[in-house]
Amino acid sequence: MRSLLLLATALSVALSSTLSSCSDPSSGTIELLPMKMAESGKWVLVNADGEIAIDSLHSAPSMAINGYFTVADSSGISIRSASGEPTPASFESLVAAGVMTEGRIPAVRPNQRISLLDSQGDSIATLMPIDGHEIDAVSPFFSSGRMIVHIADGSVNGQYGAIDRNGQIVIQPAYDCLFPFHGNYALARRDSVIVTQSKKKAKAKTTTRPTYSLLDRNGNTTITFPDGMIPLSEGVWREVMPVSFNDTLGFVNIRGSFIAAPKSVKKIHQATDRSYVYSVKSGRKGVLTIEGDTIIAPDYSEILIVDDSHFIVSDKDATPILINSSADTIFEFAGSDRIISLADKFPFSSKIKFIGHTPDNTYIIYDDNGNRVTTQEFEDISTWMINTPIFTASGEMLSSDYFDLKTAANKFIAPLTSAGYGKAKIGFTCKALTNKAPEKLTSQQSLLLLSTKGHRYDITATAYTEAPITTATPIYKEKDDIWSFFEPDEVVGHNYEYNPKAVIKKIIVKLSTESVTFAEINKLIRKDITDKNYKLIEETQTFSIYQRRSGKHYIVVTPQPMQKGIELNILSSSAYSSLISSLKRNADINFSLG
């Protein structure tokens, strides 16, 4: 359950090991909280006074934020008004939906691209491809007029950019990670691949080096972090953010100035623009100002900043208490062993201030004065902002349900030639396929030709040879002592060469998808294959066989397991003769599994 994750980190967010969010009241307000009734097992939405505002939901809804919440039913996801107003038809039967912010909510209809809807359910924009690359995911809400988008561009993780409230691109997808805007700034990361060659080792070492920067709302870089500076939060909170700079903890502002924390600070935890929770060597926690002045001495096992002058603290198994900056007790959270502050966990303010977890695994809602606001017993709490999210390097995002079958099929079949696939040719050796040194391929009998990603599909192509791609001839050290006759020669290295016997006998190309698409793709690519000097010689519902018109090799088209895509087997005549029976049998099995 997500609530367990929240509770485990409710009083201590370890910024030194993970990026943490900051509450930004301008993004909106959490108004209703989903709770599960202990007696009936029904889900309800509860307001800050502990009153049930919406009753008897059969599945866990999201929190109600800015007047709307989402809930799943048999027809899919629905967006509903927290005030009970009628739901527009465009808010029903969705695949996924986000949070209503700045008058916009991202929504995904079945088999469609992501849309931006207004509060009446009217479509403001459909997010179309950028330079031929699908927008396959977006963050669930706007912040500071910007929404993070992700494209699948063929790289391993894709790239991130941002759109405005009208769906127009304002920051091109050019970043390996882009976090939501806090005010006018967003944290961005670009990764560089560094290859270092050791003199002692023949094999080069490949590492990834991140470069961080702050962007303004138009995508202009305001500062670039110097080497050795690592962010410890997901962005600037007003004008500062915690960082580690060459293993020294501290803060950087939007002008790039670094303020070192006192040496007694061993970890920075929750941070705001004025103060932060820190821990000393013993693990005890306190609160300091950014300038290093003490607010709360490191006397507690857990601390949570509520605002500039209020803090929740606890010590081991003791009852959590709310204190002020003079460490005076305001009140105790009687009956609770842990406390959740929603404003600390999400980028929204919250009308519901504090939620307590009891030792008997129920939940209590408290007001500002520490009083329990309802006698109802709740056995669970749902803090999902959105339904059916995906998780990426930039947080939780909504995924598009659109699959461009034609584009996927075209990219799959385009490298096919009458002789093979791309530069690989049946009957030829692998030497022409790579510029790598021969020793990198020792003993391999396969070589990856292509690996690319699109939205909801991957394409890989691999060439297979009849023998290892390279050969290694040992280099011996000559011995000049009288005893060398009785000892084996010492091998001091090898000479590597491409093996002329490493002839390509088959090429396997896979198009992997999330959809059951074998029959559709097989039909779609038939003409493209025949246009490349092949003739169809046999076809069933489970496979197709093509022969090169000159008769030298074959193509066998089969489904992948569970019909999640399609596979091209380009075979020499000898490989075809030995493999065709098993290929047909596996095709029948894989097709029937769907």
Side-chain angles (χ1 to χ4, degrees), residues 350-587:
S350 176
K351 292 182 177 180
I352 301 170
K353 298 301 181 184
F354 308 115
I355 303 162
H357 175 267
T358 70
D360 60 356
N361 206 30
T362 59
Y363 299 87
I364 301 172
I365 300 175
Y366 297 94
D367 64 16
D368 290 349
N369 299 314
N371 299 315
R372 182 170 178 164
V373 300
T374 178
T375 58
Q376 296 279 3
E377 285 204 354
F378 303 110
E379 68 176 20
D380 202 358
I381 172 177
S382 172
T383 47
W384 286 109
M385 285 190 298
I386 56 175
N387 292 89
T388 61
I390 61 173
F391 189 80
T392 71
S394 289
E396 291 172 350
M397 305 188 81
L398 268 68
S399 179
S400 166
D401 200 49
Y402 180 73
F403 179 43
D404 188 347
L405 178 61
K406 186 173 182 181
T407 295
N410 286 343
K411 290 186 177 181
F412 175 58
I413 212 70
L416 179 68
T417 68
S418 61
Y421 197 83
K423 292 182 179 180
K425 298 180 180 180
I426 296 294
F428 285 66
T429 67
C430 284
K431 184 175 182 180
L433 301 181
T434 179
N435 56 5
K436 291 183 178 180
E439 62 266 24
K440 306 298 183 190
L441 305 170
T442 304
S443 78
Q444 293 183 16
Q445 288 185 236
S446 65
L447 184 66
L448 183 66
L449 305 174
L450 174 70
S451 179
T452 187
K453 290 179 177 288
H455 174 50
R456 299 175 64 188
Y457 69 88
D458 299 336
I459 300 173
T460 58
T462 307
Y464 297 85
T465 64
E466 296 177 336
I469 294 172
T470 58
T471 59
T473 304
I475 300 172
Y476 297 101
K477 179 181 179 181
E478 295 184 4
K479 298 181 179 180
D480 54 7
D481 58 84
I482 60 172
W483 303 105
S484 62
F485 178 81
F486 302 99
E487 298 176 1
D489 292 334
E490 181 182 356
V491 177
V492 294
H494 291 82
N495 285 324
Y496 296 92
E497 294 181 347
Y498 287 99
N499 185 359
K501 296 182 179 179
V503 174
I504 299 173
K505 63 176 181 179
K506 67 178 178 180
I507 302 167
I508 298 178
V509 191
K510 297 180 179 181
L511 171 61
S512 303
T513 75
E514 299 174 9
S515 306
V516 180
T517 53
F518 171 70
E520 299 167 276
I521 298 179
N522 193 27
K523 181 179 179 180
L524 195 61
I525 65 175
R526 184 180 297 125
K527 184 176 185 302
D528 292 328
I529 295 176
T530 55
D531 284 348
K532 296 191 176 185
N533 204 29
Y534 294 90
K535 60 181 178 180
L536 182 65
I537 60 173
E538 185 177 355
E539 185 172 46
T540 70
Q541 66 173 348
T542 63
F543 63 83
S544 297
I545 301 176
Y546 299 82
Q547 185 178 14
R548 186 181 176 186
R549 295 187 188 280
S550 61
K552 292 186 178 179
H553 60 262
Y554 297 81
I555 293 176
V556 182
V557 184
T558 64
Q560 290 196 63
M562 301 298 293
Q563 298 189 47
K564 300 298 184 183
I566 194 168
E567 184 171 303
L568 285 184
N569 291 266
I570 308 171
L571 308 170
S572 66
S573 296
S574 59
Y576 174 79
S577 299
S578 61
L579 295 174
I580 186 58
S581 296
S582 63
L583 285 174
K584 288 182 178 180
R585 182 169 59 255
N586 289 336

Side-chain angles (χ1 to χ4, degrees), residues 4 37 79 138 144 159 215 224 232 240 280 327-328 347 350 352 354 362 372 476 518 542 551 566:
L4 296 181
M37 303 291 289
I79 304 168
V138 300
S144 303
Q159 297 286 293
L215 309 181
T224 298
L232 301 179
V240 297
V280 294
D328 299 324
S350 176
I352 301 170
F354 308 115
T362 59
R372 182 170 178 164
Y476 297 101
F518 171 70
T542 63
I566 194 168

Side-chain angles (χ1 to χ4, degrees), residues 75-328:
S75 64
I77 305 297
S78 296
I79 304 168
R80 298 189 186 177
S81 168
S83 63
E85 296 177 3
T87 301
S90 57
F91 278 0
E92 301 278 3
S93 303
L94 302 170
V95 174
V99 179
M100 181 69 76
T101 49
E102 303 183 17
R104 304 286 188 269
I105 187 167
V108 185
R109 298 186 179 93
N111 305 312
Q112 298 295 316
R113 293 182 171 99
I114 301 166
S115 296
L116 299 180
L117 307 179
D118 65 15
S119 59
Q120 304 302 312
D122 296 329
S123 179
I124 301 300
T126 297
L127 304 187
M128 301 302 292
I130 303 171
D131 296 331
H133 302 301
E134 287 286 337
I135 296 178
D136 63 348
V138 300
S139 59
F141 54 86
F142 279 94
S143 60
S144 303
R146 300 292 182 260
M147 174 176 283
I148 308 304
V149 300
H150 178 269
I151 62 168
D153 64 349
S155 62
V156 175
N157 295 316
Q159 297 286 293
Y160 295 88
I163 58 173
D164 64 16
R165 292 175 66 251
N166 296 317
Q168 299 299 309
I169 287 289
V170 288
I171 300 177
Q172 289 294 324
Y175 298 92
D176 293 283
C177 191
L178 180 61
F179 288 93
F181 276 82
H182 293 167
N184 292 318
Y185 303 96
L187 175 67
R189 190 191 80 220
R190 278 194 171 117
D191 295 334
S192 302
V193 177
I194 308 298
V195 179
T196 54
Q197 184 70 53
S198 171
K199 293 181 179 180
K200 295 182 179 180
K201 296 182 179 180
K203 189 174 182 179
K205 181 181 179 181
T206 301
T207 57
T208 300
R209 185 176 67 189
T211 299
Y212 294 95
S213 58
L214 290 181
L215 309 181
D216 67 17
R217 283 167 25 94
N218 295 317
N220 300 311
T221 300
T222 59
I223 63 169
T224 298
F225 288 17
D227 289 345
M229 182 176 285
I230 302 170
L232 301 179
S233 73
E234 66 171 23
V236 171
W237 177 233
R238 294 194 175 97
E239 291 195 354
V240 297
M241 68 182 300
V243 295
S244 171
F245 189 19
N246 293 328
D247 296 325
T248 298
L249 298 176
F251 290 81
V252 67
N253 63 23
I254 58 173
R255 293 168 291 280
S257 299
F258 176 71
I259 303 172
K263 291 183 179 180
S264 59
V265 174
K266 300 307 178 185
K267 283 187 179 181
I268 294 177
H269 301 274
Q270 181 196 10
T272 73
D273 61 323
R274 296 181 183 179
S275 61
Y276 62 96
V277 178
Y278 73 100
S279 57
V280 294
K281 187 176 181 179
S282 66
R284 306 292 283 178
K285 295 183 176 66
V287 180
L288 291 171
T289 66
I290 302 299
E291 294 74 24
D293 298 324
T294 297
I295 299 177
I296 303 294
D299 296 332
Y300 302 95
S301 60
E302 301 292 353
I303 300 181
L304 175 69
I305 299 174
V306 177
D307 56 37
D308 292 335
S309 57
H310 294 88
F311 312 88
I312 298 174
V313 299
S314 69
D315 196 9
K316 295 184 179 179
D317 297 327
T319 299
I321 59 175
L322 181 69
I323 65 173
N324 61 22
S325 53
S326 298
D328 299 324

